[in-house]
Amino acid sequence: MRIAVLAVQGAFREHEEMLARLGCETQEIRALSDFGQPTQWDGIILPGGESTTQGKLLRELGLFQPLQRAIRDGLPVLATCAGLILLAEKLTDDPTVHLGTLPVTVRRNAYGRQLGSFTCKASCGQLKEVPMVFIRAPYIEQTDKDVEILATVDGHVVAVRYQNQLGLSFHPELTEDTRMHESFLRLAADYAQRKTKIA
Amino acid sequence: MDKQQYELNKGLAQMLKGGVIMDVTTPEQAKIAEKAGACAVMALERIPADIRAAGGVSRMSDPAMIKSIQDAVSIPVMAKCRIGHFVEAQILQAIEIDYIDESEVLSPADDVYHINKRAFKVPFVCGARDLGEALRRISEGAAMIRTKGEPGTGDVVQAVRHMRRMNAGIAKVAALREDELFEAAKKLEVPYELVVYVHEHKKLPVVNFAAGGVATPADAALMMQLGADGVFVGSGIFKSGDPAKRAAAIVQAVTNYEDADLLARVSANLGEAMVGINADEIKTIMEERGK
């Protein structure tokens, strides 16, 4: 399996290390030439970092449209924190829209500044006791009816799935728990299989 | 600060990696920096070049001024306190700053003791010229390290020297036999456990940024190629001819620091760089502050 990791800014190396532990090959995407033919990938990770920085670089580097198209065409995506903001169709109190492929409304810095950052454990989909690290994190305020809610913390939605897109407020890559990445790799494996059948 | 909070604080620094943290003195500059792609801003009354020019005692900025910058942008806001001035740090924590820089750019308040950063919930970044300084600051509770450079000069030579010295120090510890680590800890004047971490992981236990004298996209890419996790740009942006353009160019350079074609493109027509001072010609050596 080949997984691309968006590496324009943020904590991309942590995702790469996580996938390496699961025996999966990754490639950093810093430029359009790194992304190349979207069909060569079985999945892509949008890491945490600053969404304003990442969104700007995506546009300047010409990655915006190819990435948006690939996700709309079904490329599995795991988006954490800033990545979730990039995917969101709408942001609360902010007219900015980045990729806009995930039909949810996301509130940036929803827990306030760094002093509001926290960790907890909660269920996420079928997974129990998932350690969740929230760093100046966003949460999801509204979801379209087709969006599956995977996790809520204190009444706020913090993890969703919509078709090929997995959006998380928290950072599984900063923990020792590999289960979220394993779920993502299952999506990627299904996608790889479908691709081969069509080919 | 409990262990969990320390992990969260180190985590925020991890989110800043591959990014540029810019010094700003007004809400307008902060907005320009955010729009140009800064991953965080450092709010201060005077940028290091002006601190150097003004001389005298330089202190923490007015909290009202810092708050106006917090209100202007959505990215993390950092601010500086004097070395050893734990009350300035308490004030910065009270206004919910995202990161405190215990900085040699300001006049030191204590010439012996650094702040006990473990007593705070808010994260700290500290300057370091070599592995020993870095591990001492981490032992005191710093969640992020940066080179000291020679602030406000626009001369990158010290930042380069510190980064190379840090890398050499890490390589040396990594190459030691396990039974030699106790002596290494003694020589470096740091806790044994931190030396073991560096030996095993071949890196610092926290994120390490470059700072001091970065004025061009090429300077920023140089520091990244030398192994920095990201870059602080102080006087280099708002002391230049076209701050918005230069800021955006440095952001691009930090992402694609090995792509010479892109670096050539973003370095073109940036207008005047900050004039700078040759670091050998100055009297106040800030990097010597706090060891």
Side-chain angles (χ1 to χ4, degrees), chain A residues 2-5 41-45 75-78 184 188 191 195:
Chain A
R2 296 198 71 204
I3 304 294
V5 181
W41 308 113
D42 301 316
I44 185 163
I45 292 185
L75 179 66
V77 52
L78 170 65
F184 168 63
Y191 176 74
K195 254 191 343 190

Side-chain angles (χ1 to χ4, degrees), chain B residues 83-84 102 104 108 110-114 117 126-138 140 148 165 188-190 285-291:
Chain B
I83 290 175
E102 186 184 16
E104 69 283 1
D110 192 319
D111 54 9
V112 178
Y113 299 105
H114 278 74
K117 293 166 274 287
C126 287
R129 295 177 300 175
D130 53 37
L131 182 60
E133 278 190 15
L135 296 183
R136 282 194 288 281
R137 298 297 87 77
I138 292 165
E140 292 156 4
K148 283 177 167 173
R165 218 186 265 159
L188 287 166
E189 302 176 312
V190 300
I285 306 297
M286 294 178 177
E287 66 155 39
E288 294 284 338
R289 294 169 171 174
K291 289 177 187 173

Side-chain angles (χ1 to χ4, degrees), chain A residues 113, chain B residues 24-25 27 30 41-45 59-73 77-81 88 91-92 95-99:
Chain A
R113 302 184 184 283
Chain B
V24 297
T25 58
V41 291
M42 177 76 69
L44 68 179
E45 266 162 1
R59 309 176 178 90
M60 177 189 79
S61 300
D62 181 342
M65 171 268 166
I66 297 170
K67 275 188 170 164
S68 70
I69 287 173
Q70 287 175 314
D71 291 341
V73 294
V77 178
M78 303 183 167
K80 291 181 194 291
C81 72
E88 284 186 351
I91 292 170
L92 292 174
I95 61 170
E96 295 197 29
I97 202 76
D98 291 302
Y99 242 96

Side-chain angles (χ1 to χ4, degrees), chain A residues 8-11 14 30 48-50 52-53 56-57 60-61 108-109 113-115 117-119 135-136 171 174, chain B residues 4 8-9 11-12 14-18 35-39 70 74-76 96 98 121 248 252 255-256:
Chain A
V8 295
Q9 191 271 327
E14 289 75 357
R30 291 169 186 271
E50 274 308 312
T52 51
T53 308
K56 178 167 194 284
L57 284 164
E60 285 175 354
L61 295 165
R108 290 184 64 201
N109 300 333
R113 302 184 184 283
Q114 175 62 7
L115 288 174
S117 294
F118 66 100
T119 57
I135 297 176
R136 283 177 52 97
H171 295 282
L174 295 185
Chain B
Q4 212 167 55
L8 285 167
N9 290 346
L12 176 56
Q14 284 171 279
M15 297 306 141
L16 300 173
K17 282 188 304 181
K35 220 174 144 208
C39 67
Q70 287 175 314
S74 64
I75 55 180
E96 295 197 29
D98 291 302
K121 201 173 170 216
Q252 285 235 29
T255 296
N256 283 292

Side-chain angles (χ1 to χ4, degrees), chain A residues 35-142:
Chain A
F35 192 57
Q37 275 302 323
T39 48
Q40 67 179 306
W41 308 113
D42 301 316
I44 185 163
I45 292 185
L46 308 183
E50 274 308 312
S51 61
T52 51
T53 308
Q54 294 180 358
K56 178 167 194 284
L57 284 164
L58 278 184
R59 289 174 177 86
E60 285 175 354
L61 295 165
L63 276 164
F64 188 87
Q65 276 171 350
L67 189 57
Q68 190 179 47
R69 203 174 308 128
I71 294 170
R72 286 209 171 121
D73 287 348
L75 179 66
V77 52
L78 170 65
T80 57
C81 198
L84 168 67
I85 295 166
L86 291 186
L87 287 186
E89 208 167 65
K90 200 168 175 295
L91 301 179
T92 309
D93 302 330
D94 186 344
T96 314
V97 181
H98 298 288
L99 298 167
T101 54
L102 182 64
V104 297
T105 303
V106 169
R107 179 180 284 276
R108 290 184 64 201
N109 300 333
Y111 300 94
R113 302 184 184 283
Q114 175 62 7
L115 288 174
S117 294
F118 66 100
T119 57
C120 67
K121 280 189 176 176
S123 297
C124 189
Q126 302 299 313
L127 307 174
K128 304 280 176 242
E129 294 272 297
V130 176
M132 298 180 177
V133 179
F134 294 86
I135 297 176
R136 283 177 52 97
Y139 60 61
I140 297 160
E141 281 196 327
Q142 276 182 330

